[in-house]
């Protein structure tokens, strides 16, 4: 099943089911009309989702305009972002001059969840002096996860998979990291690709709790990276279990993978500017040369299957001055 949300006056949007070719949609209005509410009543929604799927398979539905889509889940109760790619973590320690983190636990922080930008919305920020960066990653949306849920049992709580741009302000990040209190200013709201999909939609692209797709990124029309999500050191089920160790996870909680990164970064590229800058520092034994983003810059992200499919659709945004 492919789900999305139309922009409406309601901040949670209007839940819709989308055809496999992403060209048509059917509204889901009973028993709930938003994706956030749907996660709270997933079992009760199955008949309505099947009816919408049947209508779409028979050629029914309205024509879909991507520009009218909000994020699949425009806001949530909780956004927890992991850092499950060790290559990215190792390079960031070099970029920020930080000591290695000596732990075998997943890394995770709690970020802004009251707004996720839609896939084609301009992204406003106050100044380029903050070091504007994009971070391409994948994420999952869960139903209610009881406290203490094991990684094995966590798999059944993963209802949807999404693609995310976790925006970062790199000039502020090292300041906040050194306080030991985590992110506030350095992590503004994230953006989402238009479609949230059930795990079965990915086929072989969903394995061992990992999204095994290339995340193709273009910055101002130039290829930037195509790292594969299979390289996670911890699968999403393990990230869910980690988050739920001492708390229930409410329905609609979104958990991110962290920046997609591969050890073969020289061949496949990267998913954020800061990683490229760290590579430059290592390679050239000097300062980084790639700048961060400027106002007017455009970023495009698209998860691609080996068959060329694009299950999440495209994030295509321009950075503008707030």
């Amino acid at each position: 099943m492919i789900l999305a949300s139309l922009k409406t006056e309601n901040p949670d949007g209007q839940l819709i089911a989308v055809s496999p070719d992403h060209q048509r949609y059917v509204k889901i209005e009973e028993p709930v009309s938003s994706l956030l509410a749907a996660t709270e009543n997933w079992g009760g929604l199955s008949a309505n989702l099947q009816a919408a799927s049947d209508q779409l398979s028979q050629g029914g539905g309205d024509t879909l305009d991507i520009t009218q889509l909000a994020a699949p889940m425009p806001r949530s109760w909780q956004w927890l972002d992991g850092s499950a790619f060790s290559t990215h973590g190792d390079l960031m320690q070099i970029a920020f001059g930080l000591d290695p983190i000596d732990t075998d636990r997943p890394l995770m922080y709690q970020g802004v969840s009251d707004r996720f930008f839609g896939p084609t919305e301009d992204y406003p920020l106050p100044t380029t002096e903050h070091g504007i960066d994009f971070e391409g990653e994948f994420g999952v949306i869960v139903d209610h996860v009881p406290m203490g849920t094991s990684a094995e049992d966590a798999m059944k709580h993963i209802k949807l998979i999404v693609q995310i741009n976790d925006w970062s302000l790199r000039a502020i990040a090292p300041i906040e990291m050194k306080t030991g209190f985590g992110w506030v200013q350095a992590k503004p709201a994230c953006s989402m690709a238009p479609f949230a999909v059930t795990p079965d939609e990915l086929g072989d692209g969903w394995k061992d709790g990992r999204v095994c797709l290339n995340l193709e990124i273009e910055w101002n029309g130039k290829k930037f990276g195509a790292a594969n999500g299979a390289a996670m050191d911890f699968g999403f089920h393990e990230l869910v279990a980690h988050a739920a160790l001492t708390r229930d996870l409410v329905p609609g909680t979104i958990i991110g993978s962290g920046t997609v990164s591969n050890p073969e970064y020289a061949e496949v590229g990267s998913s954020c500017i800061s990683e490229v800058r760290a590579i430059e520092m290592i390679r050239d034994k000097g300062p980084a040369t790639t700048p961060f983003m400027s106002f007017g810059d455009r970023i495009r992200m698209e998860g691609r299957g080996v068959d060329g499919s694009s299950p999440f659709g495209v994030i295509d945004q321009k950075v503008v001055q707030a």
Side-chain angles (χ1 to χ4, degrees), residues 268-314:
V268 302
S270 299
S271 301
C272 72
I273 299 171
S274 194
E275 184 171 299
V276 168
R277 288 170 60 88
I279 294 166
E280 291 171 345
M281 293 165 63
I282 297 168
R283 182 191 64 208
D284 302 333
K285 297 181 173 58
T289 57
T290 298
F292 290 112
M293 300 185 80
S294 299
F295 293 134
D297 281 6
R298 185 171 290 278
I299 186 67
R300 186 183 193 278
M301 298 182 178
E302 183 176 19
R304 284 279 191 185
V306 294
D307 59 354
S309 61
S310 175
F312 307 108
V314 178

Side-chain angles (χ1 to χ4, degrees), residues 83-129:
S83 182
F85 295 88
S86 58
T87 297
H88 177 73
D90 293 343
L91 291 169
M92 289 303 94
Q93 288 164 13
I94 295 170
F96 291 135
L98 301 172
D99 294 330
I101 300 173
D102 184 17
T103 181
D104 58 358
R105 296 159 55 90
L107 302 178
M108 187 173 288
Y109 74 91
Q110 187 161 337
V112 176
S113 63
D114 58 356
R115 182 179 184 184
F116 288 84
F117 279 75
T120 62
E121 292 182 79
D122 287 349
Y123 194 85
L125 287 167
T127 175
T128 57
E129 293 180 1

Side-chain angles (χ1 to χ4, degrees), residues 140-184:
V140 297
I141 301 175
V142 300
D143 62 3
H144 173 244
V145 182
M147 181 168 52
T149 294
S150 67
E152 180 180 1
D153 288 341
M155 287 292 282
K156 66 186 179 185
H157 293 289
I158 296 173
K159 300 304 180 184
L160 294 163
I161 307 171
V162 292
Q163 177 190 306
I164 297 169
N165 182 1
D166 175 32
W167 294 93
S168 293
L169 301 177
R170 298 300 192 183
I172 302 174
I175 300 170
E176 291 193 312
M177 290 176 74
K178 290 174 181 176
T179 67
F181 273 78
W183 312 107
V184 177

Side-chain angles (χ1 to χ4, degrees), residues 79 81-85 136-139 232 236 239 255-260:
W79 155 239
D81 196 17
S83 182
F85 295 88
E137 57 184 89
F138 298 111
M232 290 173 71
F236 276 111
L239 295 183
I255 295 181
S257 65
T259 306
V260 178

Side-chain angles (χ1 to χ4, degrees), residues 189-204:
C190 299
S191 302
M192 276 193 198
F195 308 119
V197 304
T198 49
D200 61 285
E201 287 288 336
L202 297 185
D204 292 339

